[in-house]
Structure formats: structure tokens, C-alpha cells
Amino acid sequence: MFGLEQKSPKILVIGDLMIDHYIWGDCNRISPEAPVQVVEVKSESNRLGGACNVANNLLALGAQVYVCGVVGDDADGRWLVGALQDLGADIAYIFVDSNRPSTKKSRVVISNQQVLRVDRESRARVDSKLLQKIYENLNTLITQVDCVIISDYDKGLLSDTFTQEIISLARSERKFVLCDPKGCDYSKYKGATLLTPNKKEATLATGIEISDDETLLQAAKKLKEMCALEISLITLSEDGIGIFDDCVCKKIPTFAQEVYDVTGAGDTVIAALGFGLSAGLDIYKASEFANSAAAVVVAKVGSASATHIEIDRYIHTHGQDVGGGKLLDKIQMRDMIESLRHNNQKVRIVFTNGCFDILHRGHVQYLKQARALGDILIVGLNSDDSITRLKGEGRPINTQEDRAFLLSGLECVDYVVIFDEDTPRDLIAFLAPDVLVKGADYEGKEIAGSEFVKDVRLIDFVEGKSSTNIIEKIRSM
């Protein structure tokens, strides 16, 4: 939908680097020593948190990522740097400070529910000499990147002076600067392209209690004025993103269906915004992209990231347009397949086709079986003109738009593409799916397009179920 799969912008992430440490366990009893739960530890895992999670999200989207921050001279710091390097981030701008520990947040999770968090950190300001060294190292890099993301968790790196120096340098080079702010005083972020405060943070920073569209507008306007922002926006959790535009605050909605854990959702939003803007999207499209990425992430447990495949799947499942975002033309469909294969060479694309004039039980059962044969099911749908040629005047009963809409409403159908030819041979040759599925009545017959696929499967129909029978029954009445 966004056409960003082949984009690879250069993005610098500056901020507080940390580890999100998870302790996974079960609880079946209360301690005899105190009225607290006894957790039986089943496993432990480290994940990238804070600015590292922003970098992780960008890497998952295919950006070239440079990470800048400070870690301690300890095992946690070495793990963090190694993990970023393994993911493909440039770690040349990460500095070691032996006078402070690496930041680590340990969360105890029982049955996917976080019950306790323990923080190991220092919030003391990073030494000014080290900050000057960092700034000097960034001078040349900032001229080469497309965007700078400042991820502030108030752990000592982003002093007012240092933050302003970075913003001024980046803006003098006409680079995007996105800041995830902390605290109540946002003057340190003055001159940035945009900030990403949530509703509570924006309320604290502006002194305006956000309770409706009018107060949202007032807060967004005040943020823009007091921080000299190019774009003023406020993230609204399940309500999406509010963007100040002239005299109104436009809302870019989200459609998250399941929320398991909001940890790191803000990191995903700012990463996706930075990626989208750097790749050429305007702020509205970039916000739609960010909302979709965040919706993917909150459906997972723990700090997580979203890939283009996951974002596309989310959009195609929850989209609001005709076909719910699943209806593509053949060029879009081929680009989508190429993108899927670029990101996952083992993905198995299944194709089937038909008129699907009046959707019935036989169709649904057939399509479910077809979907089970691979990872993605594409349905080639005969156009109205082709059905008239094949079945005569009076057919189809339902238009191609209505038929596509109904097919797209089925969970087992991933994509729909309409074709105008009498057979799908040319479409199959163009898309080159892995598996072609047809009805069992094609046993022993020539199957159009079979020479362009690796595998042909035949599926039995439900006896007595067909659009033609239903139409004849209705007409006889």
C-alpha cells in the first residue's frame, strides 16, 4: 500500500540505550514469608529497549541505521552493542563510560501479564567532555543521513545544550529531526521537525488538559508555537495520531484489534514516522504507516518491531476501502509478491480463480482448503464482462466490486485481483504463484496456467452447492 519495501533511508538514532530484560514464569502459590506471589522462573530473555528499540524497528523496516549513545563498561553494555551489530546497525558512534552502568529494565511476566519491574540505571548527566567528543564525531555523519531521531528517556545523555546542538546541526543540513520527548519542559527540543508526545505528555508540557477535539487542537497549536516545530502532532493511543494543520487538528485513525502489550509502541511510532518521511511520504501517509506498525507491535508481548509484511497484512485485514485493502490490480499484486519473496524466500503463494457470483458454503470451504496449502491465498476474480461472455446475458448477478468486497471479507483470502480474460492463464504467467488450485472436476483436463506454477492441487467441491443452482432455484420461485 505504501510502496516502501524497497526503500532504505539512512537514519541516525541518538538517545538512551537500554536493555529490556524479561523473566518469564508461572505462579501457583503465595509466599509464606510475605503476601507476595512466588514466581517459578521458566526462562529469561534480553531485548533491545529505549533508543535501541527505535533502531531495531528501523532495521526491521530496512533502513540503514546508525546508533549513537552511551553504555557502561559491563556485560550488559557488551551484549547490547553486540546485539545491535548482529542486526546490522552501525555501532561506531556508541561510547563506553566506565563511570556508569548500562541501563537495564527487568520485567517479571506471568501468563503474559507484567507483575513487576526492576530498574538498574544511572540518571546522572553524561560528562560534558564525553558529550563534546560525541558531538564532534557526529558532525560529518549528520550531513550524510536523511533523518535524525532523538529518543529521550531522561537517562543522562540528552542534556538541554547537547540536544539543541544536535537539532541545530541537523536542521542546518535540512534533515528531518524527530524527538520522542521526556519531562515537562520541551524547550530543549525547539526547532525539531516534530515531537511525538502522547496525550498525557502533551498535557503536562502545555498545561492544557486534553479531553476533546477542541483541547487537542489547543495543545497541538501551543506545542507548535512554543517549540517552533515544522509539524505538530500528538499520539492518541487507540485513537491514532492528531496532526495540527492550519486551524484544525486532523486525526489519523488506527484500527488495532488486539492489545497485549504497549511496551515500546512509542518507539515503533517514531521509527515508522522517520522511515516514512525519509522515504518520501507526507506526514499524513507517514502517520497511517506509523499507526499500522504500532498496531502490529501492540499485538505482541514485550518490546517488538514490525516488518513490511506484517504491516501489509494488518492493512489488508483491517483496511476500510473496497476489499478492505485486499483488492489489488495485477501490477500491485506482482509488486506485493516480489516484496514478500524479497523478505521471505520460503513464502508459498497459492492462487485460485473463479466467478464467485453468489458466495455460498461451497465457496468458503473450498477457499479455506486452498489457503491451507500455503502462506498467502490470491483469488483471481472474473470481471463482469468475462462472466457475461462465459455464462451469457443476465450474469453476473453481483458486480465485480461487490464480489470482490465479499471475498475480501473472508479471513482465508489474503488478496483479490480482477482479470478480464476468459481464462486466468495470462494472469498466472504474470504473477507466477507457487501453487494453482482448481476444483476436482478438472481431473484429467487441461488447466489454464498450470505450466507457470510449481504445483497444481485439485479440491473437491461441496456436493450440490453452486451459484448456478442457487440462481436457478431463485428464478423458479
Side-chain angles (χ1 to χ4, degrees):
M1 176 178 176
F2 298 101
L4 302 180
E5 293 84 356
Q6 306 304 321
K7 302 289 186 179
S8 186
K10 296 179 179 179
I11 299 179
L12 167 62
V13 179
I14 305 174
D16 297 304
L17 312 180
M18 61 184 71
I19 295 174
D20 284 333
H21 172 224
Y22 288 86
I23 301 171
W24 310 88
D26 295 330
C27 176
N28 299 304
R29 60 194 177 98
I30 301 298
S31 171
E33 303 165 0
V36 296
Q37 299 178 85
V38 175
V39 179
E40 298 178 15
V41 176
K42 299 299 182 182
S43 64
E44 297 183 51
S45 61
N46 283 336
R47 299 184 184 180
L48 295 168
C52 299
N53 192 37
V54 176
N56 185 33
N57 275 269
L58 288 165
L59 289 163
L61 294 172
Q64 299 177 61
V65 181
Y66 305 83
V67 181
C68 176
V70 175
V71 296
D73 185 12
D74 50 33
D76 287 333
R78 288 185 284 276
W79 180 90
L80 187 152
V81 173
L84 285 169
Q85 188 174 32
D86 289 345
L87 287 171
D90 188 315
I91 59 168
Y93 303 90
I94 297 178
F95 296 81
V96 176
D97 184 348
S98 58
N99 295 317
R100 62 192 302 123
S102 299
T103 301
K104 185 175 184 177
K105 297 180 179 180
S106 296
R107 297 171 173 89
V108 179
V109 182
I110 302 172
S111 300
N112 289 340
Q113 179 67 47
Q114 186 182 148
V115 297
L116 179 68
R117 196 179 94 184
V118 178
D119 292 357
R120 302 176 180 89
E121 63 185 22
S122 169
R123 298 177 66 181
R125 289 299 175 193
V126 172
D127 182 77
S128 58
K129 292 181 180 179
L130 179 55
L131 287 180
Q132 183 60 32
K133 182 179 179 182
I134 294 172
Y135 179 77
E136 291 170 356
N137 277 266
L138 292 177
N139 259 288
T140 303
L141 176 63
I142 286 179
T143 66
Q144 300 171 356
V145 299
D146 302 298
C147 175
V148 176
I149 294 179
I150 296 176
S151 180
D152 192 354
Y153 279 79
D154 194 25
K155 305 302 180 189
L157 174 68
L158 294 163
S159 66
D160 293 6
T161 301
F162 179 67
T163 303
Q164 273 295 290
E165 287 176 342
I166 294 297
I167 292 172
S168 297
L169 175 60
R171 295 302 282 161
S172 70
E173 296 290 336
R174 300 181 181 276
K175 309 298 183 181
F176 293 109
V177 181
L178 284 63
C179 303
D180 188 0
K182 271 292 179 289
C184 300
D185 182 4
Y186 284 6
S187 60
K188 67 191 285 189
Y189 311 112
K190 190 171 183 178
T193 306
L194 63 83
L195 311 182
T196 59
N198 59 34
K199 192 156 57 174
K200 181 180 178 181
E201 291 168 337
T203 293
L204 291 172
T206 63
I208 298 171
E209 183 70 35
I210 301 173
S211 57
D212 53 25
D213 289 350
E214 180 60 31
T215 51
L216 175 63
L217 171 61
Q218 293 171 10
K221 184 177 181 181
K222 187 171 181 178
L223 277 175
K224 185 170 187 176
E225 292 171 350
M226 72 184 198
C227 295
L229 304 174
E230 184 178 326
I231 300 164
S232 183
L233 63 79
I234 298 173
T235 64
L236 306 171
S237 188
E238 69 275 7
D239 292 324
I241 296 175
I243 303 172
F244 177 64
D245 186 0
D246 294 329
C247 297
V248 297
C249 195
K250 296 182 179 179
K251 286 184 178 179
I252 309 300
T254 188
F255 306 98
Q257 301 296 300
E258 296 177 313
V259 178
Y260 287 106
D261 192 344
V262 297
T263 303
D267 298 332
T268 301
V269 167
I270 198 169
L273 283 171
F275 188 98
L277 291 171
S278 300
L281 298 183
D282 63 31
I283 186 57
Y284 302 103
K285 279 293 183 183
S287 295
E288 290 178 14
F289 180 64
N291 276 339
S292 301
V296 170
V297 165
V298 298
K300 303 178 181 181
V301 177
S303 300
S305 59
T307 64
H308 288 292
I309 291 177
E310 291 173 318
I311 293 169
D312 284 347
R313 173 61 69 88
Y314 166 79
I315 293 168
H316 296 142
T317 302
H318 305 299
Q320 300 299 299
D321 57 343
V322 173
K326 296 183 179 183
L327 178 60
L328 305 179
D329 62 34
K330 70 176 188 177
I331 300 296
Q332 293 171 323
M333 192 71 75
R334 185 178 65 179
D335 289 346
M336 181 277 302
I337 291 173
E338 289 178 352
S339 173
L340 287 173
R341 286 176 172 155
H342 175 76
N343 288 284
N344 180 8
Q345 294 182 358
K346 294 183 179 180
V347 67
R348 188 171 167 87
I349 308 294
V350 181
F351 179 93
T352 192
N353 66 280
C355 300
F356 301 97
D357 196 359
I358 294 181
L359 201 60
H360 53 73
R361 175 184 171 182
H363 287 145
V364 175
Q365 185 164 320
Y366 171 85
L367 292 170
K368 283 185 176 180
Q369 289 179 267
R371 177 62 174 79
L373 296 173
D375 304 300
I376 297 291
L377 174 62
I378 297 171
V379 177
L381 183 65
N382 287 80
S383 69
D384 292 347
D385 289 343
S386 69
I387 291 179
T388 300
R389 291 194 301 270
L390 291 169
K391 296 185 179 292
E393 292 298 325
R395 297 289 298 274
I397 300 298
N398 291 303
T399 67
Q400 61 194 38
E401 289 79 12
D402 289 346
R403 290 181 286 119
F405 184 87
L406 289 171
L407 283 170
S408 298
L410 299 177
E411 186 177 355
C412 58
V413 174
D414 294 291
Y415 297 96
V416 178
V417 56
I418 297 171
F419 65 96
D420 198 46
E421 297 78 17
D422 289 349
T423 77
R425 183 183 183 279
D426 291 344
L427 179 61
I428 294 170
F430 187 74
L431 299 180
D434 300 295
V435 184
L436 173 60
V437 176
K438 298 295 289 185
D441 57 334
Y442 273 85
E443 181 72 51
K445 300 179 183 177
E446 182 180 351
I447 298 176
S450 60
E451 65 268 38
F452 304 111
V453 300
K454 301 173 184 175
D455 190 12
V456 176
R457 297 293 185 92
L458 303 181
I459 294 177
D460 289 326
F461 290 125
V462 177
E463 188 174 351
K465 303 295 182 182
S466 75
S467 295
T468 300
N469 288 345
I470 293 172
I471 292 167
E472 289 178 353
K473 183 176 180 180
I474 292 171
R475 286 174 173 167
S476 70
M477 295 172 66

